[in-house]
Amino acid sequence: MAISRYQFDYRRSPDQDAGATVRRPVVVVGAGPVGLAAAIDLGLRGVPVVLLDDADRIGEGSRGICWSKRTLEICDRLGVGEKLVAQGVTWKLGKVFCGDELVFSFDLLPEDGHKMPAFINLQQFYLEKALCDRAGEIGGLDLRWKNKLTGVEPHNDHVRLTIDTPDGPYTLEADWLIAADGARSTTRDLLGLTFSGVTFEDKFLIADIKMAADFPTERRFWFDPTFHAGQSALMHRQPDNVWRIDLQLGPHADVAEEQKPERVSARLQRMLGNRDFSLEWVSIYRFNCRRLDRFVHGRVVFVGDSAHQVSPFGARGANSGIQDAENLAWKLAAVIKGEAGRALLDSYERERTQAADENIAHSTRSTDFIAPHSPAERALRNAVLDLAPKAEFARRMINSGRLSVAAVYDTALSTPDEDSFAGSARLGAPAPDAPVRRRGGGEGHLLENIGGEFTLLTVKNGAAPQALPGIKVACIGDDLIDAGGMIAKRYDATPGAAYLLRPDQHLCARWRRFDVHKVEAARDRALGRS
């Protein structure tokens, strides 16, 4: 069962009538969240982009629904974050049940002072529509629907593409090709690339239902509930009175039989009781924890599900893919503009394979706990659940899906600091947000005042540091006022301290005292220069 929300028109491109094959700087394949984010980010950096998609619509079911704080911060920089938060359902609390008993609850963002919430729930088609609208506002971004990639021919300095359309095929050359075409990536297949990893046998029913209900806005996960004995269940609220239900079915479930509306409704009635609901979308899925050995293949770069796949528990798939896109966009733009050599893309591969491995490890552990493979593993899992209400160590062992967090990149670290720093800001991690007041008035937040370029944050201590080519300088205490002292707390920001943020807002170096030579050296390291 599937529904379509938005349809777009096919338009013939001038490239199809050029008479000779046209060369474009960047072609992105796949107009899902990851491909759209990559194309918008490159477009905002002044890089012309062609974005191809073989469909002419979005909204085949809600699919991804949980969008993390880091993803929302990225989307805010791209120009759609506030719109998504206003449209979505904000949440930060989760509850885990064993049977019908509450085992424990957790708070994903216990501190205040961040512009973006811990998570929102929002159907993927709404996020895609917001990104499509944003793409239409950016000059140099050409979004082409019903353009299906059918051939990839790699060369040393470009990639030659064959593209099929309702008007027939045409060829296009790209200096760089970004493959964002999902788990069933055509690009990956055309290059003969395969995944390494594991496919899990357990099947899960996923259903979106329309229902007026007063359940709290929180993540609810059940192990062995009375309404679904011996299995697990998950429930999330979405906008429009839509609720996401996941029910574990086991490895031997009949896919065709389990998707019949009457069978789905019977299962949901046991869970929800005597409530009226209607089915919006139903699917059965198994999942994989696997990835490509390499994400960069010459002039072809893989992002999102085309590069790696994880289980849906923890909302790590699409969130990680959007973070792939952010990591790649600023680096590819720097290479194209001659600000860095191709070696910079090696850091994309290192950092994002590191992130993929972390996500795969978390997803594998979650799956092993949710769906034990042997009687011994099940007995251990059940013992942990029995102990959890009474013992803190057992609560820490429960794994219903470790929720998505931003990666902390090993390769983003600069040379060791002479002085240690306290606070929540970590080298290699995204800079933490905080409330600020702008010079001249106006309330806001730190990250929205940084943007997407190299930025040196300094803490006022006499004269402001000198201007640096290619680096934006923002002084805390002058350009931005630390409203409430949260920057001082989170960054351990003492007078004269300086912090260098990469264009993806990850903290790559910090010092107790500004030194122009150290700042320039750290920027050069971040750009892959020796």
Side-chain angles (χ1 to χ4, degrees):
M1 179 187 299
I3 50 178
S4 295
R5 299 283 174 162
Y6 304 104
Q7 189 158 356
F8 302 88
D9 294 331
Y10 162 77
R11 292 185 176 88
R12 187 174 179 88
S13 164
D15 292 348
Q16 294 167 257
D17 301 313
T21 300
V22 176
R23 176 81 67 94
R24 298 291 183 181
V26 178
V27 173
V28 180
V29 180
V34 178
L36 283 160
I40 291 168
D41 210 341
L42 285 164
L44 290 173
R45 298 179 189 280
V47 177
V49 182
V50 173
L51 176 55
L52 309 176
D53 198 275
D54 59 2
D56 63 352
R57 66 195 67 198
I58 55 178
E60 300 291 342
S62 66
R63 294 178 290 166
I65 63 168
C66 295
W67 308 103
S68 71
K69 176 178 180 289
R70 183 59 199 149
T71 293
L72 294 171
E73 289 169 348
I74 295 168
C75 288
D76 200 40
R77 183 175 57 76
L78 299 182
V80 298
E82 293 180 0
K83 178 178 182 179
L84 298 178
V85 172
Q87 193 171 16
V89 172
T90 295
W91 66 279
K92 64 173 186 170
L93 300 177
K95 291 182 179 177
V96 177
F97 298 82
C98 183
D100 298 326
E101 179 185 2
L102 176 65
V103 176
F104 78 101
S105 59
F106 54 86
D107 186 337
L108 293 166
L109 190 63
E111 63 180 17
D112 295 326
H114 297 263
K115 180 178 180 180
M116 292 296 152
F119 274 90
I120 65 166
N121 287 348
L122 182 68
Q123 293 90 324
Q124 183 171 318
F125 52 78
Y126 284 138
L127 181 137
E128 290 178 351
K129 179 60 165 59
L131 291 171
C132 284
D133 291 345
R134 181 67 175 127
E137 298 171 353
I138 297 172
L141 200 169
D142 184 359
L143 177 49
R144 302 179 185 178
W145 301 101
K146 298 293 283 184
N147 275 241
K148 179 178 176 59
L149 182 69
T150 58
V152 177
E153 184 181 309
H155 295 268
N156 288 337
D157 64 345
H158 71 281
V159 185
R160 187 179 179 88
L161 312 175
T162 305
I163 302 160
D164 197 17
T165 75
D167 290 332
Y170 70 104
T171 58
L172 187 64
E173 291 181 352
D175 293 333
W176 296 93
L177 175 65
I178 299 176
D181 45 353
R184 298 181 178 87
S185 170
T186 298
T187 312
R188 194 179 61 235
D189 290 344
L190 289 170
L191 291 178
L193 303 174
T194 57
F195 281 127
S196 299
V198 178
T199 298
F200 291 87
E201 295 303 318
D202 262 70
K203 300 182 182 73
F204 291 77
L205 169 71
I206 185 169
D208 283 349
I209 62 173
K210 191 95 168 181
M211 174 179 66
D214 57 358
F215 298 129
T217 302
E218 59 193 18
R219 181 184 194 262
R220 289 188 165 191
F221 192 99
W222 290 265
F223 291 98
D224 193 22
T226 54
F227 59 78
H228 194 51
Q231 305 286 13
S232 65
L234 174 67
M235 182 167 70
H236 272 286
R237 181 196 294 269
Q238 303 176 64
D240 308 327
N241 282 329
V242 175
W243 297 78
R244 163 66 55 84
I245 311 291
D246 280 73
L247 296 174
Q248 182 184 4
L249 299 178
H252 306 298
D254 185 314
V255 172
E257 189 70 20
E258 291 293 350
Q259 291 187 85
K260 291 181 178 178
E262 62 273 16
R263 191 171 181 88
V264 175
S265 294
R267 288 191 181 280
L268 296 175
Q269 284 170 347
R270 287 195 292 272
M271 178 181 187
L272 302 169
N274 188 26
R275 294 178 183 271
D276 293 329
F277 63 85
S278 60
L279 298 176
E280 287 266 301
W281 179 60
V282 173
S283 184
I284 303 287
Y285 67 89
R286 292 188 309 170
F287 49 82
N288 306 289
C289 287
R290 56 187 189 173
R291 69 169 175 88
L292 289 172
D293 292 335
R294 293 186 294 116
F295 292 178
V296 180
H297 292 260
R299 293 278 177 150
V300 183
V301 186
F302 289 85
V303 293
D305 284 351
S306 72
H308 48 76
Q309 297 171 346
V310 295
S311 82
F313 300 110
R316 291 176 176 269
N319 286 296
S320 178
I322 289 173
Q323 291 166 45
D324 287 349
E326 179 189 51
N327 187 291
L328 175 61
W330 74 267
K331 294 175 179 177
L332 185 55
V335 171
I336 290 170
K337 294 176 180 180
E339 298 167 356
R342 285 184 56 177
L344 181 57
L345 297 184
D346 295 340
S347 72
Y348 164 75
E349 183 164 84
R350 288 194 301 271
E351 291 179 350
R352 294 315 297 170
T353 54
Q354 172 196 328
D357 287 342
E358 290 174 1
N359 285 324
I360 287 169
H362 281 295
S363 291
T364 300
R365 286 193 288 269
S366 297
T367 303
D368 289 343
F369 195 87
I370 292 167
H373 299 296
S374 68
E377 289 176 334
R378 183 171 291 275
L380 176 61
R381 195 275 306 271
N382 291 343
V384 168
L385 292 171
D386 288 341
L387 277 171
K390 301 178 284 289
E392 171 63 25
F393 82 90
R395 289 195 287 274
R396 292 197 301 269
M397 294 173 66
I398 292 177
N399 194 335
S400 64
R402 299 284 189 255
L403 287 153
S404 175
V405 295
V408 180
Y409 299 136
D410 293 339
T411 58
L413 306 184
S414 71
T415 54
D417 296 300
E418 295 178 4
D419 300 300
S420 61
F421 281 78
S424 58
R426 298 176 60 190
L427 284 173
D433 207 2
V436 295
R437 188 170 65 253
R438 301 180 187 91
R439 181 173 58 185
E443 305 293 327
H445 287 81
L446 177 63
L447 294 185
E448 67 187 0
N449 285 279
I450 290 175
E453 56 193 307
F454 276 102
T455 301
L456 183 71
L457 287 179
T458 64
V459 183
K460 189 173 183 179
N461 185 28
Q466 66 195 75
L468 298 171
I471 300 177
K472 174 183 176 181
V473 178
C475 181
I476 305 301
D478 188 358
D479 302 306
L480 301 171
I481 307 303
D482 183 11
M486 290 188 181
I487 293 177
K489 179 180 179 181
R490 290 172 187 170
Y491 289 78
D492 191 11
T494 53
Y499 307 80
L500 184 64
L501 277 58
R502 304 190 320 185
D504 57 4
Q505 300 179 343
H506 281 248
L507 177 62
C508 65
R510 57 187 172 183
W511 308 268
R512 286 298 179 190
R513 294 289 180 268
F514 168 78
D515 183 306
V516 64
H517 300 297
K518 289 182 178 181
V519 173
E520 290 176 337
R523 188 269 315 277
D524 288 346
R525 283 194 299 272
L527 284 170
R529 302 171 183 168
S530 60

